């Protein structure tokens, strides 16, 4: 899965990771908001890496959690969904708006290559990592597609669909997201 090859998303090892993440997410998302110590414990158990000062609003959803790394002082707002079928690496001092979705999973475009008759999974899946640099602000309702690299000091406007990587120090927005100017 992590090397980008086609994989069975219903593999027993992945299902076990999935169920573990669901238990941790359920506990996290039900915590009283003022229970900061327990929130930190749950996030540390869920995520592959959580640096000091990370704040993740509830509700938060992800596939496995263990493939997510978040740098120090990064804020993740309400209703974010991180499909971490591959590595999601987020740098320090990030601002991730509400309802941002980060996808690493992808499927073959042709139905004949995507759909599998019989077996434990009805479709083929692969994944590509997503990397987001330091000091990045991602506006609400943005979608980051598989394989994207967002450079440092980037601002992405709300409602964007990021289908191509972005270099350092730019303002970008739109559907599809495009560079508007350097900042």
């Amino acid at each position: 899965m992590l090397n980008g090859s086609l994989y069975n998303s219903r593999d027993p090892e992945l299902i076990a990771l999935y169920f573990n993440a669901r238990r941790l997410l359920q506990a996290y998302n039900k915590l009283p908001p003022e229970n900061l110590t327990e929130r930190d414990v749950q996030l540390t158990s869920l995520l592959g890496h959580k640096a000091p000062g990370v704040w993740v609003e509830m509700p938060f959803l992800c596939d496995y959690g263990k493939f997510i790394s978040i740098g120090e002082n990064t804020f993740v707002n309400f209703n974010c969904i991180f499909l971490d079928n591959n590595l999601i690496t987020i740098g320090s001092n990030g601002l991730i708006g509400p309802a941002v979705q980060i996808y690493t999973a992808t499927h073959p475009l042709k139905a004949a290559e995507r759909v599998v008759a019989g077996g434990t999974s009805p479709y083929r899946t692969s994944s590509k990592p997503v990397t987001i640099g330091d000091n990045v602000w991602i506006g609400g309702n943005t979608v980051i597609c598989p394989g994207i690299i967002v450079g440092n000091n980037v601002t992405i406007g709300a409602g964007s669909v990021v289908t191509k990587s972005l270099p350092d120090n730019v303002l970008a927005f739109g559907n599809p997201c495009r560079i508007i100017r350097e900042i």
Side-chain angles (χ1 to χ4, degrees), residues 6 15 35 57 63 88 103 137 152 162 166 169 178:
L6 290 172
I15 292 295
N35 193 340
E57 286 288 356
D63 271 337
I88 295 175
Y103 304 150
W137 176 21
N152 296 315
V162 184
L166 298 168
N169 305 306
R178 65 189 188 288

Side-chain angles (χ1 to χ4, degrees), residues 6 105-115 124-126 128 146:
L6 290 172
T106 187
H107 308 280
L109 296 178
K110 291 183 180 180
E113 296 172 7
R114 180 175 58 247
V115 179
R124 290 187 175 97
T125 304
S126 64
K128 298 176 184 177

Side-chain angles (χ1 to χ4, degrees), residues 74-87:
T74 289
F75 176 79
V76 178
N77 215 322
F78 301 100
N79 291 318
C80 287
I81 300 172
F82 294 1
L83 298 186
D84 63 316
N85 304 81
N86 207 310
L87 302 177

